[in-house]
Structures are given as C-alpha cells and as structure tokens.
Amino acid sequence: MNEENPKIEDIVSLCKRRGFIYQGSEVYGGLSGTWDYGPLGVLLKRNIMNLWWQHFVEARDDMYAVDAAILMNQKVWQASGHVDTFVDPLCEDTVNHRRYRTDHMLKDNGINPEGMTMEQMDAAVVEHGVKSPDGNPLSQSRSFNMMFETVVGPVADDKSISYLRPETAQGIFTNFKNVVDSFYPNLPFGIAQQGKAFRNEIAPRDFIFRSREFEQMEIEYFVHPDDWQQSFDELLASIHQFLEKLGLSPENVHELDVPEEERAHYSKKTIDIEYDFPIGREELLGLAYRTDFDLSNIQRVSKKSMEYQIKGTNERFVPHVIEPSFGVERALMAVLTESYREDEQNGEKRIYLALPEYLAPMRMAVSPLLKNKPELVEKAREVYSALKKKHGNVMWDDNGNIGKRYRRQDEIGTPECVVIDFDTLEDDTVTVRDRDTTEQRRVAIKELIG
Ligand code: ATP
C-alpha cells in the first residue's frame, strides 16, 4: 500500500465539492449504493470509457461491438447460472438486525475468507469470535441472490420475471451467433460492450467501489481452444498498457493469479488485477479464461448451435473465451487516487488532481485578469472562443480573484489556465499557468490556438 495514498474521505469530499460525484437521490436522504455523476464527473467518466474504447476496440482490427438491452429473457440468467449461484453469504447482527456480507466481516477482522464455503465462514466467525461492527453476535449465514428482480409487461407471473443485468457479458454471448452470421470474422476475435450493470450488494461501501448500479466495460474474446494461452497473455499485456494510459503507476498495480480452489469451476485461469486503493489492495478488474462454459450453456438451453466453422475446413467447435472485465467506477476511483496530490504553495495547502491531459474534464480554463475591465473581458472571450473551438472542453472562469480560480482549476485537474491581462492588449500574448508546477509562461495567442 502506497503511504502517500490519499484518504477515501479526501476523495469523496473533493468529488462532492467540485461537482464530480454526488450521493444518489441525496435530496431525499439518498439511496444506498447509488451515485450520481455531476458535470465534471460525467466528463471524467466518459474520458475513461472513451480511452478504453480507443485502446481495446478502435485501435484493433479484431474487435466488434454490441450494445445489448439491459433487460433480457430470464432464460439467459438461468442458463448462465446466475439464478442459482449468483449469491453472496449474508449474516445479520442478532441485536439490531443490520445485514452484512460474512466474507467482509471476516476480512475486516484479519481473516482471509477466500476459498471458504459458507459453512467454513460461519465456523470461522465462531472460532475467532467475530462480532458485527456494533459489537453484537452475528447470525448464521444464508445465500442472498444479488440480482434485482423485476416484472416485464402488465401481467406478473413466473414467465414475466426478468432481472436487471448483473453483468454486461451475457449480452455479448447471446449475440455471438448474430455477429458471426453478419461478419464471419476469423478466430480469434472479440466482442466488446460498455454499459450499466446492477447488483443488489448486501452492504454497498467504500464510495463508488461497491455500488448497486455501476458500469462495466467487457470483452469476450473468442479463441480456438488450443490457442487460449497466447490470447490470454496478449490481453494481459494490453490491459497493463491501458492502465498505464490511465496514469496508474505500475507499483500500485498487482496481479493476483487466482488459485484453482477460488476460481469459478469453469475457469481454467483467472488473474485479478488489484490496485492499491485508499481502502486497501482490492480488485480493479479481472481477466478470466472461461473455456466454452457460456456458449455451451446457451447451446444447451436454446438448442441452437453455437459452433464456429473454420473457413475452408470441416472443423467445427464451440469457441473458448477469454474475458477481460473492467468496472468503470473502480477505474475512476483508481484514477482519482493516483492523481490526488497535496502540496504547499506560498505557505498554503493546495490540492490538485495531476490527471493526464486527455482524461482531465477540462483541458484549459480561460480568465480575464480582472472581470470589471471590459477590454480584458472582450479579449478573453475571443481567446476562449478560439480555444473552445479547438479543444471543446474549455472553461470560462472569472469567479473570484485569480488565486481562487487557480485553486479551483487545480482541484478539478485542469492542466492549464490561460489569463488575459493588460499586456495581452499590447502584444497578443497570454499567461499560461501549469497545474503541476504552477509555473507561468508567456505564450503568443497565435501559437496557443494554432
Ligand atoms: P468483488 O469480488 O469485488 O465483488 P467480483 O469478482 O464480483 O467483484 P466481477 O463479477 O468479476 O466482480 O465483475 C467484474 C468487474 O466489475 C469487477 O472487477 C469490478 O471492476 C466491477 N464490479 C463488480 N461489482 C461491482 C460493484 N458492486 N460496484 C462497482 N464495480 C463492480
């Protein structure tokens, strides 16, 4: 764990203060596990998702994309195993009846729950005398299914039950045959999807890290079973490149080769990529070799062939799959953790976000030195319009004195502030102030907007 990591409260407070992330339904007292993105959070999140898209989809010629419906036929979740097995162990404080995840209670008490069955977890609770956060005894655990159930259509019966998707992956698998029929790509190839996922987490916590509604970026990469290792290694390397583009330092990123007893039974290999979050080292994303588990299940339940035929041969088989699965919120939290800095400027504490330029919600801010001088304002508006035309995400900022503006822009990670002063009117140069070094340089307007 990096000693210099900010505290989670610092990040939550900055996100709220500066319009990145608010508690969902806050005005009504909130809705646990939901978060709303404010004006700057939307931009940062979109920049992260676009970077992923460029890196994994646009820059490659073996990727296709889908955008599947969130509501799917209930058979999808029966075939995938989610109806029966997408469960977490739930225990209860026997006094105040607050509910918790048993594995989290163990972890919080320094006991590693990985690989334990529910019975083993209960035994560990008893053996180590684990109590609820309020100091009361915990009940025995029971399985709690995390899917949000809903009813589709006006008649509520068994057939109309559906679920808000708990992962985007199944929308890819169910479209595998469609994509093959339309494009007939050569193996290996991938199908990517970004979109919302919903899990009724027993105890959402740690800001956006564990939410009930969140966003995923997933790829199902279809391979010949003999070639899985090569594609797995290639995707793992590509993941690390992407994490570097996010600005994450390699020393804060860790690979956890998940041991066999802790992997899903169908997975032959899983590597969790963990990151040193302010809450500790936790899963940022997963890379799993899922064999032909999903497509074979679809084939079994739908009775439609999911086989792929190698062009020009008679070789037919159900492709195997490598799945890189990213959570947008966790990527965003890692980016905020990594970029959050505090230093001292002129004897005052300063907070800034050292975001890579292409992730920053605002590329530049433009200000007239004094907002009550019409000639400065007019010139500044001209420069602002030209820069906005060039970059798009440029902010007009004439609120408060110049020191306050710098502080505000530093906190939202704007790489450069452009200030129009009286010299500008004489020589068409402006002050450009750098976020990280706070150094100021004179730059010709022509050069800036060129
Ligand atoms: P965890 O063990 O932390 O609950 P998981 O192993 O259940 O996560 P996966 O099912 O592998 O997670 O989901 C893939 C990715 O989706 C995770 O690596 C994470 O980035 C993201 N994710 C999963 N659950 C949540 C959640 N409740 N809130 C935010 N992101 C999530």
Side-chain angles (χ1 to χ4, degrees), residues 124-285:
V125 166
V126 173
E127 187 191 332
H128 297 275
V130 173
K131 298 275 187 305
S132 79
D134 297 313
N136 301 320
L138 291 168
S139 71
Q140 276 205 332
S141 305
R142 66 178 170 89
S143 292
F144 176 79
N145 194 302
M146 287 194 289
M147 286 200 293
F148 282 100
E149 198 175 293
T150 188
V151 167
V152 177
V155 182
D157 61 16
D158 285 354
K159 283 199 204 110
S160 58
I161 289 175
S162 184
Y163 307 90
L164 300 185
R165 68 181 177 200
E167 60 172 34
T168 58
Q170 294 304 321
I172 298 178
F173 288 123
T174 47
N175 279 294
F176 164 76
K177 200 71 188 145
N178 287 334
V179 173
V180 169
D181 288 348
S182 303
F183 300 92
Y184 213 149
N186 288 322
L187 284 184
F189 73 92
I191 305 181
Q193 176 165 229
Q194 296 184 333
K196 290 269 189 181
F198 304 82
R199 294 183 188 182
N200 197 6
E201 295 279 354
I202 294 168
R205 60 185 199 173
D206 302 323
F207 192 34
I208 53 174
F209 182 87
R210 188 170 302 287
S211 316
R212 287 188 168 131
E213 175 175 342
F214 55 100
E215 210 136 359
Q216 288 187 316
M217 309 184 280
E218 297 196 298
I219 294 167
E220 303 306 330
Y221 198 71
F222 300 98
V223 300
H224 189 289
D226 294 344
D227 301 334
W228 75 269
Q229 182 78 56
Q230 195 185 333
S231 293
F232 191 97
D233 294 345
E234 187 270 314
L235 284 166
L236 183 58
S238 185
I239 286 170
H240 282 294
Q241 283 161 10
F242 173 69
L243 298 182
E244 271 189 46
K245 287 187 190 170
L246 283 184
L248 307 188
S249 327
E251 64 265 27
N252 293 337
V253 173
H254 310 275
E255 281 183 12
L256 176 74
D257 196 341
V258 181
E260 190 177 348
E261 63 276 14
E262 292 169 23
R263 290 196 300 259
H265 63 276
Y266 49 80
S267 175
K268 287 260 176 69
K269 187 169 179 74
T270 298
I271 290 192
D272 282 349
I273 305 283
E274 300 186 319
Y275 179 77
D276 291 328
F277 289 101
I279 51 169
R281 185 174 294 181
E282 294 286 350
E283 177 178 327
L284 169 61
L285 66 108

Side-chain angles (χ1 to χ4, degrees), residues 10 26 73 83 86 126 144 149 155 192 197 208 227 240 246 248 265 275 288 296 307 314 318-319 385 408 422 440 448:
D10 297 332
E26 190 179 20
N73 190 310
V83 170
F86 196 58
V126 173
F144 176 79
E149 198 175 293
V155 182
I208 53 174
D227 301 334
H240 282 294
L246 283 184
L248 307 188
H265 63 276
Y275 179 77
S296 291
E307 283 186 338
N314 287 328
V318 176
S385 299
R408 183 165 48 242
F422 289 104
Q440 306 188 3
L448 204 59

